[in-house]
Amino acid sequence: MFRKVAVLGAGIMGRGIAAHLANAGIPSLLLDLKKEDVVQGLEQLKKAKPALLYDAADMKLITPGSLMEDLQKIAECDWIVEAIVEKREAKQSLYGKLESLLKPKQIVSSNTSGISWQLLTEGRSAEFRRQFCITHFFNPVRYLKLVELVGGSATDPSVLKTMEGFLTDTLGKGVVWAKDTPGFVANRIGIFAIGNTLQMMVERGWTIEQVDAVMGPAIGWPKTAVFRLVDLIGLDTIAHVARDTYERCPRDTARERIQLPPFCAQMVEKKWLGNKTGQGFYWKQKQTDGRREILSLDWSSLEYRAQQKFKAPSLGAVREIEDAGERLRTVVFADDDAGRIAWPLVSDLLCYAAERVPDIADDIVNIDRGMRWGYNWEMGPFQMWDALGVAKVSERLAKDGRAAPPLAEQVLTKGSGTFYGGTMQAPTHFDLSTKGHCPVTQPAGILTLAAAKAARTPIATNDSATLVDLGDGVFCVEFHTKMNAIDEGVLQMLTRGLDEAEARGAGLILHNEGTNFCVGANLMLIFLEAQQQNWKRIDEIVRVFQGLAQRMTYCAKPVVAAPFQLTLGGGCELSLAASRICAAAETYIGLVEAGVGLIPAGGGCKNMLLRMEAVCAVERKEQGQIWMSPKDGGPFPKVRRAFETIAFAKVATSAKEAQRIGYLRASDAYTIDGDRVLADAKASLLALAKTYQPGTPRTDIALPGKGGEMALVNAVREARALGQITDYDVVIGEKLAYVLAGGNYSTVHQTSEQDVLDLEREVFLQLCGMEKTHERIQHMLMTGKPLRN
């Protein structure tokens, strides 16, 4: 749709927008006052953590330039997005220079976080105003789905429609239609939540740790909670937004709660702004023993101290609760210290949001989407109303001597008692103008398992997985274990899914709607069996996994894996076994078994050899070939690359990087909008099924034998001598080298897939018997982090 884009302003937001355009394959012109500042900014972009580019190689799509010397180059661009300093005068001055250069069909937008369309376009021509809108991205641009789209009284509706299509279809964003009001949607609600929390903390004597313990995952908010979020954004930015919102919202009945307490001004003066200055509400300090300790601020004295743990029965209870609504109810209505923090903060937030409709948006859906997509809340405020119960919240407010908002009263008296209704296939929401429910407008191209299960009764289900009928002969195995780990129930359902696909279907998809696709096999099960030295049982589990993975690969019908987010260990192995992968762009995939003292044994070693063989065949060069064969440059290059990938537990930070590493093939695909992964996977499967011909297991895999094994072992020992790895890393590396080089064969040979699978299983069992592997597994289970012992 847009062939090239100009981004004006190379600060954090401008660089982020240019990077995400590159992620979508769209070239951009990135301009700032001085070209050298842009070049320097791009160097920072390369080092950004987390990465803003899917693949660093895509940096070539961003062309740096100067606003003084290169502004005329915007003639090459279809869309010009301004992201300079958040000052009205500076933006208006730039627009004055732009105006004479614009072509009739070019679109201009501002990334302003709150300056109104009306103010930005003062003094501009009718044609400029027709082409101008606001596209407010959220930082970091790659990771936050939200873009608030704001038009003005003179904006051409076709401009807004074009922008919406590009933002959703090409950039994978979620568009919220906001009104031209201060803070638009998400920041208007968000700045109230932050300001009110700060004021109430001071009024009631809470600590920073207490608030963050409650107002985080326990109620469906991210781990950043409140104060880590402020540190991430920057207290100076928060103070600016709060001040601007306060000044520009004289009719906001709760505007006094938006202001920050006086101690925040002292923090700004001291440059305690958060991550950007190294300290804010939290301060990571290096101790004398080299460890880093995170201190927290005592706001009353403005002194840092060791963090104080905060415990409450309800916070302990929600650790085992996955459903966000149930967690919210458990904490908010708890008769404990956590409940006494959660209830006033959450109830104030819900009332504030209800009182802002239709001020900031025409409907509740856009507000809920704004908070989910922009602030990463699991539920928007009106979904929170429903989760807590509109009637129950209203009754509690009355008991506190507070009136429920008129919108809530209307939901109870004229609606159905809830803000949302309908079915999974046809959801509805309460509409203020009609005083009744109307359909929720769904983005096009979305297929969900929840809707599929509502439309058709699942074919089979157990405690670990469900087999879902997606229609058109396509079936889907949905995992729903904790962290979607693979256990026997998952393997049983995969077997049933393959049976159904082969008997009466077009194919099978592997997907779920959890936070992550799959974090691997059930480590606790392996650990317990290893502790009891039940080697026969472990051998049986691994054989079943291997057999199932092989059946997936050579199934009579295509199998498509649709991974997203964390796809590790066994989750990666299942993806490697599929006929095709159709991943979310935000897929972090890798064989990480070495981190727990093991090697991949569900076909991971075998499939990485085959993946790397294909890569080497494409990349084959005349120089540097060892043990040459005409097909792939000889057996050693693929073994070396597979070894490096597995031994160093490489995890791709995007699906595109996964293609470069080799986890995904060139024929695999990824989808930039994570919500469309299942629909794209189904379309991919149906296209593949038309001409699908299953293969047969290979018996001609060329491996180098002992010579190749020793080359790898020597490299491992050298890394140990340099202090790069531990002694036990060497043990794991040597055993992995034995598997990938072909076992006990002394020289170059051809072997079968089954032989490699047998070697995987043999070494996996050996490592399961080693004490240091037990230590690594136990540490991972207890802390969620790998142990380098």
Side-chain angles (χ1 to χ4, degrees):
M1 186 181 295
F2 293 154
R3 292 163 298 176
K4 190 172 184 179
V5 176
V7 182
L8 311 184
I12 292 173
M13 290 305 300
R15 293 197 301 268
I17 293 168
H20 198 59
L21 288 164
N23 291 337
I26 305 295
S28 65
L29 180 65
L30 182 61
L31 305 181
D32 213 313
L33 292 175
K34 297 179 181 178
K35 182 176 179 180
E36 50 265 37
D37 291 341
V38 181
V39 172
Q40 186 178 355
L42 291 178
E43 287 301 312
Q44 294 174 339
L45 182 61
K46 289 180 185 176
K47 302 171 187 174
K49 298 290 181 184
L52 296 179
L53 287 162
Y54 291 160
D55 192 326
D58 289 333
M59 185 76 76
K60 64 181 181 292
L61 291 170
I62 305 173
T63 303
S66 160
L67 284 168
M68 301 295 290
E69 299 174 2
D70 301 304
L71 194 58
Q72 72 281 359
K73 292 181 181 178
I74 65 167
E76 309 164 5
C77 303
D78 303 302
W79 171 34
I80 300 100
V81 54
E82 168 271 306
I84 66 170
V85 63
E86 191 71 352
K87 292 182 179 178
R88 183 182 68 179
E89 296 79 8
K91 292 177 186 291
Q92 287 177 329
S93 175
L94 178 58
Y95 300 159
K97 296 171 185 175
L98 276 179
E99 193 162 9
S100 62
L101 300 172
L102 289 180
K103 294 180 177 179
K105 290 190 178 180
Q106 285 179 308
I107 293 174
V108 183
S109 74
S110 174
N111 184 59
T112 179
S113 59
I115 303 175
S116 74
W117 182 96
Q118 196 66 37
L119 290 174
L120 290 174
T121 57
E122 277 183 359
R124 300 276 68 81
S125 66
E127 183 63 16
F128 184 95
R129 289 159 66 87
R130 187 190 68 78
Q131 296 169 258
F132 184 81
C133 63
I134 291 169
T135 51
H136 179 214
F137 289 82
F138 274 61
N139 186 45
V141 176
R142 169 181 166 180
Y143 298 98
L144 289 182
K145 188 178 177 71
L146 178 62
V147 176
E148 291 175 319
L149 184 58
V150 185
S153 56
T155 307
D156 188 328
S158 68
V159 166
L160 297 174
K161 195 69 180 172
T162 298
M163 280 309 316
E164 181 190 29
F166 180 76
L167 291 168
T168 55
D169 298 341
T170 303
L171 297 188
K173 293 299 178 183
V175 168
V176 160
W177 294 87
K179 291 191 174 181
D180 193 19
T181 55
F184 307 130
V185 171
N187 281 344
R188 183 69 173 275
I189 302 295
I191 200 63
F192 170 82
I194 291 170
N196 189 51
T197 299
L198 279 160
Q199 290 195 37
M200 201 174 291
M201 177 180 71
V202 172
E203 292 161 358
R204 305 196 181 196
W206 300 331
T207 66
I208 286 165
E209 299 98 315
Q210 287 174 328
V211 172
D212 273 358
V214 174
M215 303 302 286
I219 65 161
W221 288 10
K223 291 179 181 178
T224 48
V226 177
F227 296 106
R228 286 186 178 87
L229 176 65
V230 175
D231 278 355
L232 180 66
I233 296 171
L235 182 58
D236 55 337
T237 302
I238 294 293
H240 168 76
V241 174
R243 185 168 53 251
D244 182 69
T245 306
Y246 178 82
E247 291 172 354
R248 294 173 55 206
C249 296
R251 292 192 299 274
D252 189 327
T253 54
R255 70 193 288 255
E256 297 301 329
R257 303 301 292 181
I258 291 171
Q259 295 194 94
L260 305 189
F263 80 85
C264 291
Q266 294 176 264
M267 289 178 66
V268 172
E269 188 177 337
K270 290 173 178 287
K271 302 294 183 187
W272 295 356
L273 307 180
N275 297 1
K276 65 174 79 173
T277 58
Q279 65 187 103
F281 288 102
Y282 294 97
W283 184 17
K284 187 182 288 187
Q285 248 192 359
K286 193 171 185 179
Q287 305 300 304
T288 53
D289 60 1
R291 293 184 302 107
R292 290 190 176 274
E293 181 183 6
I294 300 176
L295 306 178
S296 61
L297 183 70
D298 180 339
W299 57 265
S300 62
S301 65
L302 285 187
E303 292 180 353
Y304 288 94
R305 53 165 171 70
Q307 291 191 56
Q308 299 172 348
K309 289 189 176 180
F310 175 58
K311 295 182 179 179
S314 61
L315 295 181
V318 297
R319 289 193 189 118
E320 301 303 317
I321 299 174
E322 290 194 17
D323 180 72
E326 187 180 348
R327 292 201 307 273
L328 180 70
R329 288 188 294 275
T330 301
V331 176
V332 167
F333 294 135
D335 184 17
D336 62 16
D337 288 341
R340 284 182 276 278
I341 293 173
W343 164 252
L345 290 177
V346 171
S347 60
D348 277 3
L349 169 71
L350 300 189
C351 290
Y352 186 79
E355 289 163 356
R356 301 284 79 74
V357 184
D359 238 9
I360 61 176
D362 283 327
D363 57 59
I364 66 172
V365 176
N366 275 290
I367 294 176
D368 278 349
R369 286 174 176 169
M371 301 318 295
R372 293 201 317 271
W373 295 343
Y375 278 71
N376 269 343
W377 294 2
E378 292 184 63
M379 297 177 290
F382 298 98
Q383 293 168 310
M384 293 168 75
W385 268 103
D386 280 354
L388 293 171
V390 180
K392 190 169 183 178
V393 170
S394 298
E395 289 168 11
R396 178 81 178 266
L397 289 170
K399 189 182 293 185
D400 292 349
R402 301 157 64 193
L407 181 58
E409 293 291 348
Q410 290 174 16
V411 165
L412 292 173
T413 58
K414 299 181 180 180
S416 60
T418 59
F419 281 99
Y420 289 95
T423 64
M424 288 301 304
Q425 298 161 275
T428 62
H429 69 90
F430 184 80
D431 180 61
L432 186 61
S433 60
T434 63
K435 305 295 188 291
H437 275 241
C438 65
V440 173
T441 302
Q442 300 279 45
I446 304 293
L447 173 63
T448 68
L449 289 171
K453 287 185 287 187
R456 303 176 186 85
T457 303
I459 296 167
T461 189
N462 60 32
D463 290 340
S464 304
T466 298
L467 183 59
V468 183
D469 184 352
L470 298 181
D472 302 313
V474 178
F475 304 110
C476 179
V477 172
E478 173 193 22
F479 310 165
H480 42 72
T481 54
K482 186 173 183 179
M483 297 288 285
N484 289 322
I486 301 164
D487 64 7
E488 291 177 279
V490 169
L491 298 179
Q492 290 167 6
M493 197 57 63
L494 283 169
T495 301
R496 176 68 185 274
L498 292 168
D499 290 343
E500 292 287 338
E502 287 188 322
R504 60 188 184 92
L508 181 68
I509 293 174
L510 276 59
H511 186 65
N512 62 71
E513 291 173 348
T515 304
N516 299 297
F517 175 69
C518 177
V519 297
N522 186 335
L523 263 185
M524 179 61 79
L525 175 63
I526 298 298
F527 178 69
L528 293 176
E529 297 291 357
Q531 288 279 292
Q532 297 170 23
Q533 299 184 11
N534 196 345
W535 313 126
K536 185 176 180 181
R537 175 71 177 130
I538 295 175
D539 180 74
E540 178 187 343
I541 292 169
V542 176
R543 283 179 186 273
V544 169
F545 195 127
Q546 289 182 339
L548 186 59
Q550 283 293 89
R551 187 180 172 195
M552 284 172 56
T553 302
Y554 300 109
C555 181
K557 300 292 176 65
V559 177
V560 174
F564 58 92
Q565 295 293 321
L566 292 180
T567 303
L568 305 175
C572 178
E573 290 183 289
L574 288 179
S575 298
L576 293 174
S579 316
R580 181 166 293 173
I581 297 175
C582 187
E586 297 299 341
T587 297
Y588 318 124
I589 186 170
L591 295 168
V592 296
E593 285 83 352
V596 290
L598 299 167
I599 68 163
C605 292
K606 181 265 295 183
N607 281 322
M608 283 312 296
L609 282 172
L610 297 181
R611 285 281 207 277
M612 294 310 182
E613 181 181 86
V615 170
C616 290
V618 173
E619 296 181 353
R620 184 169 67 91
K621 298 177 181 177
E622 294 302 322
Q623 57 193 21
Q625 289 188 19
I626 304 172
W627 297 297
M628 285 179 57
S629 76
K631 183 177 181 183
D632 63 6
F636 188 69
K638 66 169 176 268
V639 169
R640 175 181 57 79
R641 292 178 71 152
F643 179 86
E644 290 170 351
T645 301
I646 297 169
F648 293 106
K650 287 185 181 178
V651 176
T653 59
S654 70
K656 187 166 188 178
E657 187 182 29
Q659 282 184 319
R660 181 170 55 76
I661 292 173
Y663 290 126
L664 269 65
R665 297 157 292 208
S667 58
D668 292 327
Y670 63 88
T671 302
I672 200 165
D673 182 354
D675 290 340
R676 303 186 188 209
V677 170
L678 183 57
D680 288 354
K682 180 181 177 182
S684 177
L685 186 147
L686 289 172
L688 185 63
K690 292 176 182 178
T691 57
Y692 185 70
Q693 293 292 326
T696 55
R698 293 269 302 278
T699 58
D700 61 345
I701 305 170
L703 296 178
K706 286 297 177 183
E709 180 185 340
M710 286 312 301
L712 296 174
V713 168
N714 288 337
V716 167
R717 291 174 180 172
E718 182 179 352
R720 179 67 189 103
L722 293 171
Q724 296 171 342
I725 60 176
T726 68
D727 287 338
Y728 198 57
D729 289 331
V730 173
V731 172
I732 297 167
E734 289 177 349
K735 290 186 175 297
L736 178 62
Y738 167 79
V739 172
L740 296 176
N744 290 319
Y745 282 89
S746 58
T747 186
V748 176
H749 62 286
Q750 289 190 337
T751 192
S752 68
E753 291 187 31
Q754 187 57 52
D755 286 341
V756 180
L757 291 172
D758 291 343
L759 290 171
E760 282 184 17
R761 194 173 64 256
E762 173 191 334
V763 167
F764 185 88
L765 283 163
Q766 290 172 6
L767 290 169
C768 279
M770 296 190 174
E771 185 179 344
K772 288 192 178 297
T773 288
H774 294 186
E775 291 172 1
R776 289 194 176 193
I777 294 176
Q778 187 172 27
H779 190 269
M780 178 62 74
L781 290 171
M782 292 177 66
T783 69
K785 298 177 181 178
L787 173 68
R788 296 293 303 279
N789 59 348

